[in-house]
Amino acid sequence: MNEEFPYLKDAEEVVTVQRGPEPGGAKGAYRAFGETLRGLRTTMARLIEGPMTIQYPEEKTPVYPRFRGRHKLHRFEDTGLEKCVGCSLCAAACPADCIRVVAAENDPDDRVSPGERYAAVYEINLARCIFCGYCEVACPFDAITMGHEYELADYNRGDLIFTKEMLLAEPVERTPLRREGE
Amino acid sequence: MSAERSKVTLVVDGVEVTADDGAMLVDAAKEGDVEIPVFCYEPKLGGPVGACRMCLVEIEGIPKLQTACSTPVRDGMVVYTRTDRVIESQSAVVEFLLVNHPLDCPVCDKGGECPLQDIAMGWGPGRSRMTEPKRHFRKPMPLSPLVRIDRERCILCYRCVRFSQDVAEDEQLQLLERGASSHVGTFDDHPYIAPFHGNIIELCPVGALTAEAYRFRARPWDIEDSGSVCTLCPSQCNVMFTVRDEHVQRVLARDNDDVDAGWLCDKGRFGFQMITSEERIVEPRVGGSRAGWEAALDAVAERLRSAGERTAAIVGGQTSNEEGYLIQRLLRGALGSANITSVDELEAGLARRLAAPELGAAVPDLDAAESILVVGTDPLNSIPILDLRIRRAIRQGRARLVVASERPTALDGGAEETARYAPGDAAGFLAALAAELGNRRQAGAGTPGRAADEVPGDGSDWAEGARRIAGELRPGKTVIVYGERLGRGPGGDSALASLLECARALDLATAGAGVIGVPEGANGRGLREVGCLPGAGPGFAEAPAGRGLDRIKQGLLDGELDAVVLVHADPIRNLPDGPGWAEALRRARTVIAVSAFDDASTETADIVFPAESYAEKEGTVTHPDGRLQRLRPAVPHPGNVHPIWQVLAELGARLGHETGIGSVPEAVATIAAEVPFYAGITPEEIGGRGVRWQERPAASAVAELAAVPPEQRTSRTNLDRDDSGTLTADRLRLGTYPALWADEITDRNVALRFLAPAQTVELAPSDGERLGLASGDEVEVRSNGTGVRARVALNERMRPGAVFLIEATAAENANALPAELNVEVIKP
Ligand code: SF4
Ligand code: SF4
Ligand code: FES
């Protein structure tokens, strides 16, 4: 039986928290002023550095090469055939379950991809995508990579479902610019 | 069931394991949670072959590594599955299997559900030392129009070949060539066309054999599995629907040893395309134009109200128990009509006696029977999975098979004896057999009985056949598989009565023996048990006598009946005397059809309700051996299709007969309350594996079913037809039979259409010679002025004097001939 907490049956349920020493004396004064001054030094240093604002969207900073932006699907440079074979491994790897692949059989006279199989439907729901890049890692053909485009906002959720054609095309310039009078 | 096997104890990887004596090490190891990788081991295919060497393990006291799949356990065995030697051999085997494997997993349909992938990941070396080019074959090649083979991927495990050689016994698949060029194929690259060949797709542990229909359709993570039961034939195999985007993409076996032993026929496996067919009826129709449900139900209610007791209903085999129960209740309860029947109608008293629980054999009883009599049916055509089951029973060397039929069956080759009676003579033959068996029994008991020769009729060769057959049958240890179509026609009742006599003479009311009736419709048995029988209500309860099929037809023709309801039934195509039915339906004042597709019968219908497909249905069905099984919906209803039980219940309500049934479980409960031998059954109890009602306590409540006193010898006067035995040069006796692929299912599935048989007339070679006909000739089979064109096939196993045509073909249907025994075969 615990006296402070009589409703607890088992004294072991009480967790005792160890607090630091009460401030006071010289230590207390240092705490109050020393730390504050240290902080102020950083503030002052930034003050004399001048403004660092980047005029986005008119101005942009380059992203790192490994930046994970909107996906791209790729074609072979020589044949123009799609690299994706519709194997659905990216869909399996996707933790957000936002990739949908429906495969179909290639017509040898009118190929979409080399081999037997191609992706008849390839959709990524970017509203759900968490840009983890697992699809890129899973792809055995380097058919899908994460691109550098990050300006993906849209007015409609439905418009965030990217189809194969959109993913194969070069990303459109979607930088939102303020129009006159807005 | 067999007695408990004795147990042995062994140690696997330090874990003590108890297993059945005689079990193989792989299976025993599972008891200790130890997995030993296998490729070629598959108990469904029979004994182990030890072909792939994947399962090598180390056993104390044996210097060399042993194959766990073919080493039976011994008491005190000490086994290691993860020693360095074993690991080295396992990774060597995987490396070896992958030497020529193309590793094209991303394009392979098996990817994600591939034992080779799993085992290579789990037990393989991780990387290959091979830099040499791989062996190449042309790929993928069609092995049949339904299966493609990619020979590069094959690991030569022999599973498919063993299936073809040892299970289906079609012996078409072979391993050709030797060494690195070994590959699976057929003689001269003929397409592998056989009724069960789809099973090899499921057997293949790699992606060498893939289904044409499932090609690139989905990956395991794209799909949902939905277990149900196939109701395309009376085998009622347990299936697993693979569903993607609310469409059935594939049908797999859901192994249930009590029903299908893990196999499916190709109809069940590939017959799912029709579920999404464009041709399906998806909306109610009144007078040929689309209508809403309200309007259609009102129209039907009004017409049925005015027809009242002048209504009849014919229920087709795909109907579930609940639908059957509700339609009979609609007729009996709401309309006061007793004219309810199914395509599997039997005389009520006979149906009751044949359903007796002691007399019914279960499918697994075939495995242990000492003798099996197949009579009046060809299982391959009517209940294909039993064909495999009987073959297995014979192969295992326990059962002796005898076949008595009018037409040669696919099982003849494995039979000890066959007897062939002429079409329409089943009753005579069975009477002779019953007499012979009775005789033998009495001879055994010391009192001489009647000799088979004394049976009236042209019995001389019946007696001879009966004697041969009877000689093979072991009293108390026999399973009789009979075609319920024996009960059709004028001699039908006496044929089945004689069959019951045979069963009695053979003491079949014992455990492990009995009879299994093969209905025409998938749920033939269930429909009779829930009351779709003129003269017997649910549970074979006494009910006012009603009209059977023939009298319904007559009644419609005479104008004595006003309305007819066809539930999943197409009498014009599927019942004898199709033209008669066409005329009857045309004359009927009201025809109401529940059908998934337009056919000859719906054309005559005033009101058509769209039917559910079997993948959409919820309910129960009853297997021919009495096993209740559950249908579960796998996909949503397309268009404006409603559950039929709901439609029937609603119709009852509009006619002032509230059933109080608002859901399928409620319907099951109502049936369970009315059918004494289903008492207390619930969908939960039926579960995924089904339960045989004969094995439930409630079955004892119907002991009186069997206690019906043995009927006095049925009179055979109706056998003495004037036309029997008139075998002249150009008049032959016609029999018809249902061929496996001659039905609507084949026509509705584009992929299966190539299998639909063209009408063929089978003749004994002696008759062919007499008539100057050779196989392949175009002829016309004429009877009473009507003719059916067909191609001649001479068959040595045919009985001279008989000819056979196929029922229910899309064109030149044998049912178009009048119900007449004698025909002429004419060369046009
Ligand atoms: S993008 Fe790559 S991983 Fe995804 S389906 Fe195509 S080939 Fe397969
Ligand atoms: S095709 Fe498949 S089942 Fe047949 S031998 Fe090759 S790997 Fe085995
Ligand atoms: S599984 Fe044992 S040798 Fe193939």
Side-chain angles (χ1 to χ4, degrees), chain A residues 25 47 78 81 90 98 103 121 131 137 141 162 171:
Chain A
L47 263 179
D78 43 352
L81 295 178
C90 45
C98 63
V121 174
F131 298 94
V137 179
F141 295 100
F162 277 57

Side-chain angles (χ1 to χ4, degrees), chain A residues 73-153:
Chain A
L73 283 175
H74 298 277
R75 294 177 187 275
F76 285 103
E77 266 158 30
D78 43 352
T79 54
L81 295 178
E82 288 168 17
K83 284 188 176 174
C84 173
V85 299
C87 68
S88 270
L89 286 181
C90 45
C94 180
D97 202 6
C98 63
I99 306 184
R100 183 176 120 94
V101 184
V102 179
E105 183 156 11
N106 262 316
D107 171 3
D109 300 325
D110 183 19
R111 294 189 159 280
V112 178
S113 73
E116 291 168 49
R117 173 174 182 143
Y118 75 97
V121 174
Y122 190 102
E123 287 170 0
I124 301 187
N125 183 352
L126 285 176
R128 274 198 183 191
C129 177
I130 57 166
F131 298 94
C132 62
Y134 282 14
C135 48
E136 184 178 14
V137 179
C139 182
F141 295 100
D142 291 340
I144 189 162
T145 57
M146 306 297 280
H148 290 168
E149 198 202 354
Y150 51 83
E151 290 155 337
L152 296 166

Side-chain angles (χ1 to χ4, degrees), chain B residues 26 37-42 48-56 67-70 157:
Chain B
V26 231
V38 297
F39 282 117
C40 67
Y41 180 60
E42 172 53 77
V49 290
C52 71
R53 318 312 285 178
M54 190 63 231
C55 60
L56 291 173
T67 49
C69 69
S70 51
C157 70

Side-chain angles (χ1 to χ4, degrees), chain B residues 732-755:
Chain B
L732 296 154
R733 220 182 281 167
L734 172 73
T736 59
Y737 71 100
L740 178 61
W741 296 111
D743 61 9
E744 193 185 8
I745 298 157
T746 313
D747 301 344
R748 300 297 178 197
N749 288 285
V750 183
L752 293 180
R753 279 191 197 150
F754 76 99
L755 288 163

Side-chain angles (χ1 to χ4, degrees), chain B residues 707-774:
Chain B
V708 183
E711 221 145 280
Q712 65 283 42
R713 240 168 220 291
T714 327
S715 84
R716 284 194 191 75
T717 43
N718 52 3
L719 272 185
D720 308 333
R721 261 165 287 147
D722 44 349
D723 52 7
S724 65
T726 44
L727 301 178
T728 56
D730 48 353
R731 285 187 88 73
L732 296 154
R733 220 182 281 167
L734 172 73
T736 59
Y737 71 100
L740 178 61
W741 296 111
D743 61 9
E744 193 185 8
I745 298 157
T746 313
D747 301 344
R748 300 297 178 197
N749 288 285
V750 183
L752 293 180
R753 279 191 197 150
F754 76 99
L755 288 163
Q759 189 55 275
T760 311
V761 52
E762 283 177 303
L763 290 164
S766 57
D767 289 328
E769 204 176 308
R770 207 182 53 221
L771 297 169
L773 299 173

Side-chain angles (χ1 to χ4, degrees), chain B residues 39-40 45 143 149-151 153-162 173 175 183-184 200-209:
Chain B
F39 282 117
C40 67
L45 291 172
L143 186 63
I149 180 163
D150 184 319
R151 295 165 297 172
R153 294 181 190 149
C154 171
I155 58 164
L156 301 176
C157 70
Y158 282 77
R159 282 186 178 206
C160 53
V161 175
R162 282 158 72 203
L173 224 49
L175 212 62
H183 62 267
V184 169
I200 60 173
I201 301 168
E202 236 177 300
L203 282 173
C204 183
V206 300
L209 298 166

